[in-house]
Each structure stands twice: as C-alpha cells, then as structure tokens.
Amino acid sequence: MKFTHTTRSLKGELTVPGDKSISHRAVMFGSLAKGTTEITHFLRGADCLSTIDCFRKMGVEIQEFPERILVHGKGLHGLHAPASILNCGNSGTTTRLLAGILAGQTFSSEITGDASIQKRPMERIIKPLLQLGASVKSLKNNGCVPLKIQGHPLKGIHYHSPVASAQVKSCILLAGLYSDDITSVTEPSLSRNHTELMLSYFGARVRAEGTTSSIAPGSSLYGASVKVPGDISSAAYFLVAALMVPGSEVLLRNVGINPTRNGILRVIRSMGGEVKILNKIIVGGEPTADLLVHSSHLHGTVIEGTLIPSLIDEIPILAVLATVAEGTTVIRNAEELKVKESNRLNLIVDNLSRMGADIESTEDGMIIHGGRTLRGTVIDSHLDHRIAMSFAVASLIADGETEITNAECVNISYPAFYEDLFRLI
Ligand code: S3P
C-alpha cells in the first residue's frame, strides 16, 4: 500500500475497535462459564477470531451477530477433546492462555499457529505448567509450538515469573482454576491485569497484591455481559498522528485506560503532549474514557523500568513520535520486543533509519535524537500489524512516498485501520 498524501492536519472523532486482550478473555472465560456471556464491541480481528475457532472446536456454541457475540458456556469441565489440532494463527494470547486452560482438561490436545507463532518462546509457559503437574511437550523440541498438552490433576504452585508478561501470568492463573490449591504468580513488574479483573467479574476467587496475583481453584464462573472498551493500543496510532501533525484535533471515544495499559498517556504527558481525559467511567472493572488530543510541541523522554509492560505494544509508535520530539528519547528494558510478532526492536530501528531518523539500537532498546525530517521509502512490515500501522503513521510526516508491504496484516488487530486513518486526514 502506498501513502503519497500531503497531510494538513487530522480532524474529527473516532471510536476505535474493542480491546484485543479483553475480547480474547471474554470468549475464553465465557466458554468456561455456566450460562451465556454477551460481548459487545468485540474486536473482530483475526487474532480474536482464532480464539473463537479454537473454542468452537472444543464444542462451545458461539454466535456472531453484527452488534454482539453470544458465548454459550460449557462450565469449567464441559469442553470436549477437539477433533483436530487447535490453530491459534498469529495470536500469542490465544496460544498461551489456551495452553493454561488445556493443562486443566482430562483430554489430550495439540496447539499450533502460523510461521511467526512457531518461532515465539513457549518455554516460559511450559516450565510453570510442568510444575503444576501437566504434561506439555514441544513437538519439535525447540521450546515453540506445536505443543502437545495432556491435562493431569494439577497442584497449586507459587511461581516467580522471570518476565513481566500477562500471557504467562494468565496461563498460570487459568491452569490454577483446575488445581488442588491456591496458585499464585509473582512478576518482576506488573503486567496488564485484565485476566484478574474479568475472572473476578465472572465469579472466580482472585486476589492481586502488588506484583502477585493468585487464584483459588474450583469456583464456578458465571456468564456475564462484557462491554469491551476501545483498545488503547489501537488508539495509540491516532494519538501519535494527531500529536505530530500540526493543527490536529482528534476525539477518541470510549478508550480503555486501565493503569496497567495506559503508560502511553504518561509518556505523552512527560514529552509535553496534550491529551485530555474526559467522561471517565468504569465498566466491568475496566476504566474507560474519551481522549481529546491536540498537536503539541514535544521534547524527548526516558521510557524504562516498570513503565515498559504498561506500553509494551505501543513502543513502535512511540519511537515514531520520538523522531519529532526536540532532544533525545531513550527506550530501555524493552528486550521483550524481540519476541513479539516480529523482532520489533530491529524492525523499528532499521525502518526508521531508512526513513532518515537519527536512531541507534541498544541491547534492550534504542536511542532516538529527534528533529530530522523523515523521507518516504519502502517498509517491509514482516507481516507484523503494529509495524504496518506505526509506519503508516510515520508516512504522514515523511517527505515523498512511503510504501508498506503486506499492509493488510493490520487485520490481526484493526481491520478498518486505513479507512479510519484516511477519514481523519
Ligand atoms: C497480551 C499481553 C502482552 C501483549 C500482547 C497481548 C495479553 O504480551 O504484548 O499483545 O493479551 O495478555 P506479553 O504477555 O507477552 O507481554
């Protein structure tokens, strides 16, 4: 896809699609609940459709209507053995959370995914699942999918996770639903807590204190109504576009601003950016608000430490933002970006360098000296949705033409991304 327009400013309002993490969890927990779960503003991206497909293969009836999804839950022990291998597509959340659920079943199953998922590390879930008592085998012996999982009676454990990862934490907590005692996870810093919030909302006995979350086994989940807030990770592209392009004013409606996800708002503030938080409400435990953003004069900042998990998916677009900020932006402690849908650290630095930015990579992040004008070039998305969207936004401030290859990979998390972007410019 080619971007040749000269952007004057972004104006208008937008409701971004539903949060990806929350949409996945609503289908999964709804499947394990008694009764029906109604999900509105569900994200119909390829990742969440992979989750629906996997649960349908285990006998869950899931109805899709234009305005809502109905999940007819089977209860904690009602899933069937799937007749075929469960395909999680490109979705790390489906793969890792599903593995935790499968570890608690009485049947054996296999899960796999696309070429990208087949390279992502699964040792981080295999190790705790083995400690819980499940049998989990990487069929190619490389610590990746395909995995064969045989559920066993599980025992409660306390696990110290070496990474701040909500996928790892959620995998363990979900297996903990099936164990004989309390299961808890301590992380090096707090990752997103949608699992804890939604499992409580569905009736599970979950506790969270500092960086430790725990679950008591056995309690039934009950179907509920889930109103999915807009995804702050999708809103991020428009926040950054509006901040960078002079004369812009954009209102983003109904965006999730959960403190474990809203690091981008804190970074924008620290860079001098203007984002107003309006009409704040709490829905299903998840804080949600309208965000009004104006173009702003920005300066460099440091993004590191406990902030990283709260903006992990926004680092590619924040790197684009840093190219227009006055002075230097340092991003560190972000090594997790190397094992996302692509090696995002490499792709950000490589592509922004080729656009003319002053950027260098470090062991666990990057250093960006702002102020150089970007120029258009060909950007290989490597089929990574967040790389494609970040560089579509970078094209708005670049001279000349930017071409993004495999641009349709935005289907993973934001199928109407380009239409929404073109509507505002
Ligand atoms: C997610 C957790 C994060 C995030 C991913 C979604 C989730 O991954 O990058 O896009 O829904 O739990 P990690 O848990 O690997 O950090």
Side-chain angles (χ1 to χ4, degrees), residues 66-107:
E67 297 297 324
R68 60 190 189 144
I69 302 278
L70 291 182
V71 182
H72 300 283
K74 292 276 184 188
L76 273 185
H77 301 283
L79 299 179
H80 300 165
S84 56
I85 189 158
L86 297 170
N87 191 339
C88 304
N90 191 246
S91 173
T93 305
T94 310
T95 309
R96 296 195 176 112
L97 274 60
L98 182 57
I101 294 170
L102 292 173
Q105 307 305 311
T106 48
F107 52 79

Side-chain angles (χ1 to χ4, degrees), residues 19-22 24-25 47 92-94 96-97 120 124 163-170 187 191-192 194-195 233 261 309 311-314 336-337 339-341 344 385-386:
D19 187 278
K20 182 154 77 71
S21 295
I22 296 175
H24 280 298
R25 286 161 172 80
D47 271 9
T93 305
T94 310
R96 296 195 176 112
L97 274 60
R120 295 180 66 185
R124 52 181 62 195
V163 278
S165 159
Q167 293 177 359
V168 171
K169 172 175 65 175
S170 305
E187 316 185 81
S191 66
R192 65 191 66 189
H194 306 302
T195 293
S233 299
R261 290 286 298 285
L311 46 68
I312 189 71
D313 293 339
E314 288 69 78
E336 271 296 299
L337 283 195
V339 291
K340 293 292 176 187
E341 287 84 329
R344 288 185 179 156
H385 55 131
R386 301 213 185 276

Side-chain angles (χ1 to χ4, degrees), residues 27-188:
V27 170
M28 293 181 181
F29 306 169
S31 296
L32 301 180
K34 290 181 178 162
T36 299
T37 290
E38 182 193 58
I39 314 170
T40 48
H41 204 48
F42 177 79
L43 169 62
R44 282 170 208 267
D47 271 9
C48 299
L49 298 179
S50 294
T51 292
I52 288 188
D53 182 55
C54 290
F55 280 87
R56 280 187 176 146
K57 283 198 170 124
M58 292 187 288
V60 182
E61 191 197 341
I62 302 173
Q63 294 176 287
E64 294 180 61
F65 301 101
E67 297 297 324
R68 60 190 189 144
I69 302 278
L70 291 182
V71 182
H72 300 283
K74 292 276 184 188
L76 273 185
H77 301 283
L79 299 179
H80 300 165
S84 56
I85 189 158
L86 297 170
N87 191 339
C88 304
N90 191 246
S91 173
T93 305
T94 310
T95 309
R96 296 195 176 112
L97 274 60
L98 182 57
I101 294 170
L102 292 173
Q105 307 305 311
T106 48
F107 52 79
S108 145
S109 51
E110 275 181 42
I111 55 177
T112 192
D114 70 6
S116 152
I117 263 295
Q118 289 189 35
K119 287 196 233 128
R120 295 180 66 185
M122 295 298 151
E123 259 325 314
R124 52 181 62 195
I125 55 161
I126 295 175
K127 192 172 164 212
L129 289 178
L130 292 177
Q131 283 183 25
L132 275 145
S135 123
V136 185
K137 190 168 167 32
S138 161
L139 292 176
K140 292 186 180 159
N141 256 325
N142 59 357
C144 301
V145 296
L147 300 180
K148 187 173 173 80
I149 302 177
Q150 170 65 60
H152 284 295
L154 303 179
K155 51 183 190 296
I157 60 167
H158 178 69
Y159 190 71
H160 279 274
S161 175
V163 278
S165 159
Q167 293 177 359
V168 171
K169 172 175 65 175
S170 305
C171 167
I172 298 166
L173 293 176
L174 287 166
L177 273 175
Y178 295 93
S179 65
D180 65 355
D181 205 348
I182 306 272
T183 295
S184 54
V185 188
T186 300
E187 316 185 81

Side-chain angles (χ1 to χ4, degrees), residues 210-273:
T211 57
T212 299
S213 299
S214 57
I215 190 158
S219 41
S220 294
L221 306 184
Y222 295 94
S225 156
V226 179
K227 292 185 172 60
V228 182
D231 197 326
I232 192 166
S233 299
S234 298
Y237 302 102
F238 302 101
L239 288 173
V240 167
L243 285 165
M244 293 196 308
V245 179
S248 299
E249 182 185 286
V250 173
L251 179 66
L252 299 164
R253 290 210 180 272
N254 182 39
V255 181
I257 55 162
N258 178 320
T260 63
R261 290 286 298 285
N262 70 10
I264 185 170
L265 299 179
R266 287 175 267 158
V267 167
I268 290 171
R269 205 167 302 129
S270 79
M271 296 175 84

